[in-house]
Amino acid sequence: MTPEFTPISALYIKEYKNLLALGRCRASDYNFGNIWGWREHFGLEWRLREGLCWIRQTRPKTLGWAPVGDWQSHDWVSSAVLRAGGSFIRVPEELAALWDKARSGRTRIRENRGQWDYQYKTLELATLSGNRFHKKKNLVNQFVKLYPFRYLPMTVDNLEEVLDLQKKWLLRLEKRSLALEAEDLAVRRVLELWENIPGITGGLIRIRDEAVAYTVGEETSPGILSVHFEKGLPGFKGVYQAINHCFSRVVAEIGEFSLINRGQDLDDPGLRQAKESYNPVEYVKKCSVDILPE
């Protein structure tokens, strides 16, 4: 990273991950896999300044994201970046509060509901116990009875299989959009860099010899694993519930992550309903913040 903004680069993965760990940021937006995958779509850039990694998007317009690093010990009152003012998005509420305190009277903060991350207890997703998960458990049980499937961890040996599955998934959609095309590119970028991203993980489901579902996740902060991508081919009843359940069981067995972050709903009603149906235990709230210059 440099003192000036430059495109996101794989050369600084370790340095970035170290800064991310210092701040214990819980928002899935700031995982390296996420900013790497979406760097072209959003024109993402970064720079090292004031001991933090500042991130901005340049498409469709230039906006700051939250910086990555040790938020709590940083001197926000003296921050040259904040004193210069600007507009920021995807700002976790705890950081927005620190900025508001430091720049009293010069901030405008707006909650962005569509950007909130949904967090779930790993053990609940792994067991689907109780009446709250009755419908999900039924769908998983039906999948188990209907299909002779195997769940496998994602490795370099089956990445091509996952890439082929992603291609099939996109081709079988009734409607395609620029957003889905952008996501397809993000998936491919992450899988191409798989071996070099610390904390990346995933799994896939095969029915006979065909891959029908996959999921990709990454450690966000101690105790939290975020799911970046999850896809299942149409025509297999319960396939999404099954890949979620199988992956969560493996995560639970590892024992490192008590929470699974399943990302945002982007104000999509269907996606919001689906995420709420898994009974989140908390949200990682994010805001848009405008800071007036001095």
Side-chain angles (χ1 to χ4, degrees), residues 5 25 29 33 37-38 58 83-84 104 108 128-129 146 155 158 162 164 186 199 205 235 244 249 255 276 285 289:
F5 278 105
C25 177
D29 312 63
W38 292 95
T58 59
R83 292 173 70 180
S104 179
R108 184 162 66 100
L128 298 178
S129 298
L146 286 170
T155 69
N158 53 36
V162 176
D164 288 342
I205 286 177
N244 185 348
R249 286 180 63 182
E276 291 286 357
K285 297 181 180 180
V289 181

Side-chain angles (χ1 to χ4, degrees), residues 5 11 28 37 54-55 74 114 120 122 179 185 192 196 201 230 236 245 256 263 273 279:
F5 278 105
L11 295 175
S28 62
W54 293 86
I55 300 171
H74 191 74
Y120 308 84
T122 302
L185 179 60
E192 287 167 1
N196 301 108
T201 186
E230 186 178 85
F236 297 95
H245 181 57
E256 293 181 17
Q273 182 180 14
N279 303 303

Side-chain angles (χ1 to χ4, degrees), residues 128-161:
L128 298 178
S129 298
N131 290 331
R132 293 184 305 152
F133 295 99
H134 179 70
K135 292 182 179 180
K136 304 296 184 186
K137 191 65 172 288
N138 277 348
L139 284 166
V140 172
N141 289 339
Q142 288 179 55
F143 185 86
V144 171
K145 291 178 181 178
L146 286 170
Y147 308 109
F149 80 96
R150 282 199 304 152
Y151 175 84
L152 301 92
M154 197 178 296
T155 69
V156 292
D157 295 326
N158 53 36
L159 288 180
E160 285 300 323
E161 189 176 3

Side-chain angles (χ1 to χ4, degrees), residues 178-190:
L178 292 176
L180 289 174
E181 297 284 353
E183 184 191 47
D184 179 62
L185 179 60
V187 170
R188 294 180 179 279
R189 290 290 180 262
V190 170

Side-chain angles (χ1 to χ4, degrees), residues 12-280:
Y12 302 104
I13 293 177
K14 290 183 179 179
E15 290 85 343
Y16 179 80
K17 296 281 279 191
N18 288 339
L19 284 171
L20 187 63
L22 282 176
R24 292 180 167 275
C25 177
R26 299 182 301 140
S28 62
D29 312 63
Y30 298 95
N31 281 343
F32 183 81
N34 191 65
I35 63 171
W36 175 257
W38 292 95
R39 74 192 191 284
E40 294 177 35
H41 179 69
F42 289 113
L44 293 175
E45 299 177 336
W46 60 9
R47 68 172 174 176
L48 189 64
R49 184 169 180 180
E50 301 178 342
L52 302 167
C53 178
W54 293 86
I55 300 171
R56 72 178 183 186
Q57 66 177 53
T58 59
R59 302 188 189 111
K61 63 179 180 179
T62 300
L63 289 167
W65 287 22
V68 167
D70 187 353
W71 297 338
Q72 294 297 328
S73 64
H74 191 74
D75 182 4
W76 295 113
V77 174
S78 302
S79 170
V81 175
L82 295 194
R83 292 173 70 180
S87 295
F88 301 84
I89 59 174
R90 302 173 187 262
V91 180
E93 64 173 354
E94 59 266 38
L95 178 59
L98 290 171
W99 285 1
D100 193 45
K101 182 178 179 180
R103 310 300 300 160
S104 179
R106 307 190 73 84
T107 60
R108 184 162 66 100
I109 299 172
R110 304 177 307 283
E111 284 189 343
N112 191 337
R113 177 65 177 83
Q115 291 291 336
W116 290 7
D117 286 349
Y118 290 74
Q119 295 204 139
Y120 308 84
K121 289 184 179 180
T122 302
L123 284 176
E124 289 188 347
L125 296 186
T127 60
L128 298 178
S129 298
N131 290 331
R132 293 184 305 152
F133 295 99
H134 179 70
K135 292 182 179 180
K136 304 296 184 186
K137 191 65 172 288
N138 277 348
L139 284 166
V140 172
N141 289 339
Q142 288 179 55
F143 185 86
V144 171
K145 291 178 181 178
L146 286 170
Y147 308 109
F149 80 96
R150 282 199 304 152
Y151 175 84
L152 301 92
M154 197 178 296
T155 69
V156 292
D157 295 326
N158 53 36
L159 288 180
E160 285 300 323
E161 189 176 3
V162 176
L163 286 166
D164 288 342
L165 168 56
Q166 171 64 22
K167 184 178 181 180
K168 288 179 185 177
W169 179 85
L170 195 63
L171 289 173
R172 294 185 189 183
L173 290 178
E174 293 183 4
K175 294 182 179 179
R176 293 169 67 164
S177 65
L178 292 176
L180 289 174
E181 297 284 353
E183 184 191 47
D184 179 62
L185 179 60
V187 170
R188 294 180 179 279
R189 290 290 180 262
V190 170
L191 295 184
E192 287 167 1
L193 199 67
W194 183 269
E195 292 183 271
N196 301 108
I197 303 178
I200 199 82
T201 186
L204 69 148
I205 286 177
R206 284 188 195 141
I207 295 178
R208 298 182 178 87
D209 294 325
E210 180 186 16
V212 299
Y214 77 86
T215 190
V216 174
E218 183 181 359
E219 180 180 4
T220 298
S221 62
I224 302 175
L225 183 76
S226 290
V227 172
H228 291 323
F229 310 111
E230 186 178 85
K231 294 289 181 283
L233 291 183
F236 297 95
K237 187 173 184 179
V239 68
Y240 276 98
Q241 290 77 17
I243 187 66
N244 185 348
H245 181 57
C246 289
F247 181 66
S248 299
R249 286 180 63 182
V250 171
V251 174
E253 288 170 5
I254 294 171
E256 293 181 17
F257 305 104
S258 59
L259 294 172
I260 292 179
N261 181 322
R262 292 185 55 81
Q264 311 137 9
D265 63 40
L266 302 176
D267 287 323
D268 179 278
L271 194 54
R272 179 166 297 178
Q273 182 180 14
K275 290 183 183 291
E276 291 286 357
S277 71
Y278 270 102
N279 303 303

